[in-house]
Amino acid sequence: MSQLNRLGNAPIGKLLMNMTLPACSGILVLMMYNIIDTIIVGQYAGAMAIAGMSVVLPVSMLIPTLGMGIGVGSSSIISRSLGAKDLETARLAFGNALSLAALICTTVSVLSGIYATEILSVFGGRGEILPYAMEYYTIILMGIPILGCWMCMNNTLRAEGLTKYSVIGMCLSSAINLILDIVFVIFMDMGLKGAAIATVLSQIAGLVYLLSFYLRGGSQLKIKRQYFRWDKAIIRETLSLGASTIGRQGAASVMVILLNQSLYLYGGPIAVAVYGILHRIISLLFVPIIGMTQGFLPIAGYNYGARQYDRVLAVVYKSILFGTIVSGALAVLAWSFPETLIQLFTSDETVLELGVQGLKTITVLMPLAAAQNIAAGYFQAIGKPVAAFILTLSRQVLILIPMLYLLPQVFELKGVWLAFPVSDVLACILTLTVFARELPKLKKVQHKAALQAA
């Protein structure tokens, strides 16, 4: 049985695990770029170097997320087209996505280099942090178009169930990154510059691997000239469906601006370094939630396109259940061993003291994010971009940003940490309310399809 047939026929629980585990592995490996860089840089270059990396991170991830968002948007079209046996549309969506990602990411990267000082200043690169941030940023910027195209192709691979190949590419790239980090930062004592060069070279390796996979004919999607002919309808739908992913990262970047300002105001440069560490830890804890969301999207999209609505509902419910259980267990881990996790990055006593308080506060209600992310992703899977966009942004725009403005005025630095669990609760309530109102519509369509089949 082919991978595509399994999306429509295999038991939901087993299929979900088969799709989610490689996605989690891939995300985990991809995150190792920043985690490995931060650990090595923190141990060999100090807390201010981590602060510099933290300022650059939202910028360096925002632009490639344009490519990822385009990949996510096209993957919805690809999954539904393959479910409906429309291979030509799937291939055209892939070609349009890859060329669009390359063009947009390259253009934005050039502009970001021209206005480097202004951009870093907005994101918190001021005072003693700015030289560290600039050193890292100028090199990382060179690899951003490469990373954008790579992230785009990772999502199109998942759209047809070929997750293991995206994981292989990520593992290869991460291994190269680790080796080069050791060589450049530890043995050659190149500091942030060495970490940045290692990252860019490893990203090139990851992209080359995926390009070779497509060129060898390992996928039903093809890199051929006719599929790079832009189709306005496909591009419009790709961008609208990918807007929630792009908007989420854009919102995260806006959030970082306000966050860094609050951290600098209430805790100084050291507080910026603290959150730089906490962000890596929390991102790691979020892997099951993100992986479960990415794992269920092609299954839900394929079965929705194939009009197997009972399987759509089953995969949503099981994704929420599994995601909540696993993320709950990881939240308990963070509460039980906060010092151990932070000490991986630094031995600075001030960072450790502030970090323990922040980590415990931020993760206290983290399991609620599983239901919120998956319920919001449901609308993306079935091709409802407006609802997906609003619900996906609810946690980081509609709620978190106002909380980051209001709570620190009352609780100072503690208010920054409190903004996260408050947002988890309110975003979960909002998203599940909208999802519950949508369920009767799907059940009605399901009942009608059953009557027609009979």
Side-chain angles (χ1 to χ4, degrees):
M1 186 184 294
S2 70
Q3 180 66 41
L4 291 175
N5 286 335
R6 285 198 293 271
L7 291 178
N9 296 319
I12 289 294
K14 181 179 179 180
L15 179 59
L16 184 60
M17 288 299 99
N18 288 340
M19 295 293 287
T20 298
L21 291 177
C24 286
S25 301
I27 298 165
L28 181 62
V29 170
L30 188 59
M31 284 182 178
M32 293 310 291
Y33 281 127
N34 289 316
I35 292 173
I36 291 170
D37 283 351
T38 307
I39 290 174
I40 293 178
V41 168
Q43 296 293 343
Y44 288 89
M48 283 303 99
I50 294 179
M53 291 179 65
S54 301
V55 168
V56 173
L57 179 63
V59 187
S60 65
M61 289 307 297
L62 175 60
I63 304 173
T65 300
L66 297 172
M68 184 174 73
I70 291 168
V72 168
S74 66
S75 69
S76 177
I77 301 173
I78 292 168
S79 293
R80 285 181 281 121
S81 298
L82 293 175
K85 311 302 180 186
D86 184 359
L87 184 58
E88 194 67 16
T89 298
R91 288 176 172 175
L92 192 58
F94 168 67
N96 277 222
L98 186 55
S99 58
L100 192 63
L103 176 63
I104 292 177
C105 290
T106 300
T107 302
V108 177
S109 295
V110 172
L111 294 174
S112 299
I114 294 173
Y115 299 101
T117 302
E118 293 82 356
I119 290 172
L120 291 177
S121 178
V122 169
F123 280 88
R126 59 177 75 109
E128 59 185 303
I129 298 177
L130 182 59
Y132 291 97
M134 185 64 74
E135 180 180 19
Y136 192 68
Y137 179 76
T138 51
I139 299 173
I140 284 292
L141 205 59
M142 299 177 188
I144 284 179
I146 296 166
L147 182 57
C149 292
W150 183 24
M151 293 172 80
C152 176
M153 285 192 286
N154 275 326
N155 281 281
T156 56
L157 277 173
R158 279 192 286 269
E160 53 179 330
L162 299 173
T163 54
K164 71 175 183 179
Y165 296 103
S166 66
V167 174
I168 292 172
M170 290 177 186
C171 288
L172 172 66
S173 182
S174 185
I176 292 173
N177 186 42
L178 174 59
I179 294 169
L180 294 180
D181 266 338
I182 294 171
V183 172
F184 293 152
V185 180
I186 298 177
F187 290 107
M188 297 181 67
D189 195 24
M190 295 176 65
L192 279 176
K193 182 183 294 186
I197 294 172
T199 297
V200 172
L201 292 177
S202 62
Q203 289 167 351
I204 293 173
L207 178 64
V208 168
Y209 172 78
L210 286 195
L211 283 173
S212 67
F213 173 79
Y214 279 109
L215 291 172
R216 293 195 311 268
S219 165
Q220 292 193 81
L221 309 177
K222 306 297 180 184
I223 298 181
K224 292 185 177 180
R225 181 179 299 177
Q226 65 263 35
Y227 300 124
F228 288 87
R229 183 187 73 254
W230 282 9
D231 183 292
K232 290 183 179 179
I234 286 179
I235 290 177
R236 189 181 302 114
E237 187 176 4
T238 295
L239 292 176
S240 64
L241 290 172
S244 59
T245 298
I246 297 171
R248 181 170 59 244
Q249 186 59 45
S253 297
V254 173
M255 181 268 290
V256 168
I257 294 174
L258 181 57
L259 178 62
N260 282 344
Q261 289 174 350
S262 295
L263 290 169
Y264 202 93
L265 177 63
Y266 296 107
I270 198 69
V272 178
V274 168
Y275 185 73
I277 293 172
L278 296 187
H279 177 74
R280 270 73 172 184
I281 296 172
I282 294 164
S283 296
L284 201 59
L285 299 177
F286 257 77
V287 166
I289 296 175
I290 301 172
M292 191 67 67
T293 302
Q294 292 190 356
F296 106 93
L297 280 172
I299 305 172
Y302 181 93
N303 284 284
Y304 189 84
R307 299 186 179 183
Q308 298 188 57
Y309 302 115
D310 56 331
R311 290 175 62 83
V312 176
L313 289 173
V315 73
V316 172
Y317 292 146
K318 290 187 177 182
S319 296
I320 291 175
L321 176 62
F322 295 161
T324 301
I325 291 172
V326 176
S327 60
L330 291 175
V332 171
L333 176 67
W335 259 75
S336 302
F337 306 101
E339 296 92 347
T340 303
L341 293 172
I342 296 170
Q343 285 173 340
L344 291 173
F345 299 87
T346 182
S347 57
D348 188 294
E349 290 297 327
T350 305
V351 173
L352 184 61
E353 181 181 352
L354 293 176
V356 168
Q357 180 190 60
L359 184 59
K360 284 189 171 185
T361 305
I362 291 173
T363 58
V364 65
L365 294 176
M366 188 186 74
L368 295 178
Q372 195 272 331
N373 274 261
I374 292 164
Y378 163 81
F379 293 94
Q380 183 175 315
I382 66 172
K384 293 193 174 183
V386 175
F389 181 76
I390 293 173
L391 294 176
T392 299
L393 295 188
S394 63
R395 180 175 176 269
Q396 290 185 326
V397 175
L398 300 180
I399 301 171
L400 183 56
I401 289 179
M403 291 301 105
L404 283 171
Y405 176 75
L406 295 172
L407 293 179
Q409 297 186 44
V410 180
F411 302 102
E412 298 188 337
L413 184 58
K414 188 175 181 180
V416 176
W417 311 139
L418 285 171
F420 289 88
V422 171
S423 300
D424 285 334
V425 173
L426 297 180
C428 187
I429 292 172
L430 172 64
T431 304
L432 291 183
T433 299
V434 175
F435 177 67
R437 293 171 64 89
E438 180 71 19
L439 280 182
K441 299 178 184 178
L442 183 60
K443 291 180 178 179
K444 184 177 180 180
V445 174
Q446 178 184 354
H447 180 67
K448 183 178 179 181
L451 290 176
Q452 291 175 345

